[in-house]
Amino acid sequence: MFRILSSLALLAVLFTSPVFASAVLAEEAGTGPAAAEALAAQNLAIATSVQDQLLACWSLPSGYADKRISVGLAFFGDGTLDGDPYLELGSIRTAGQYPALMQSIVDAILACLPFKGLEELGALPGERFDITVHFQS
């Protein structure tokens, strides 16, 4: 009996503590761990959609097998770019050696703009995203 009462007393203290109360309130407000996981999953779906669209627009020029160019880009939830895409540091040397490959990537980006379906995945029109897309054969 004493063990049950002490357990109930411990639970009463735990449930009324400010730390527990703030965790419960954060979860209810959509800022707790579950909300963070949902946001991460949503952002991953948005990034994957943009990457898939870009790779579908891209045609690898003949003779460029086994090459990889990584391009960083920022975009808004409405599918428009925020600034110019840029080469990731490890791709600068490769890009300089293969201008036809680089042109194919530029053409793919221009052909895909604006990116489609992002708002359906939960992106807000003015929300900004940053991703790196690896164009490789």
Side-chain angles (χ1 to χ4, degrees):
M1 179 74 152
F2 177 72
R3 189 176 271 175
I4 294 172
L5 288 176
S6 64
S7 295
L8 289 174
L10 179 62
L11 287 174
V13 169
L14 181 63
F15 283 118
T16 58
S17 77
V19 172
F20 182 81
S22 66
V24 169
L25 289 174
E27 194 66 41
E28 289 174 359
T31 59
E37 286 180 26
L39 181 60
Q42 176 183 351
N43 287 343
L44 178 60
I46 291 165
T48 300
S49 175
V50 169
Q51 176 177 299
D52 290 348
Q53 290 177 54
L54 283 170
L55 294 178
C57 289
W58 182 52
S59 295
L60 177 68
S62 61
Y64 288 95
D66 299 324
K67 304 293 182 239
R68 174 181 166 150
I69 303 285
S70 299
V71 177
L73 54 100
F75 59 93
F76 293 110
D78 65 0
T80 59
L81 285 181
D82 180 21
D84 293 328
Y86 57 91
L87 290 171
E88 293 291 331
L89 188 57
S91 294
I92 293 173
R93 176 177 246 173
T94 304
Q97 294 174 347
Y98 304 106
L101 180 59
M102 278 308 304
Q103 187 60 52
S104 73
I105 293 170
V106 169
D107 293 345
I109 294 170
L110 293 174
C112 278
L113 290 175
F115 303 120
K116 309 274 187 273
L118 305 183
E119 291 180 11
E120 289 82 2
L121 295 172
L124 300 175
E127 190 174 10
R128 187 177 186 274
F129 301 89
D130 290 289
I131 65 169
T132 299
V133 178
H134 304 287
F135 292 87
Q136 61 189 24
S137 59

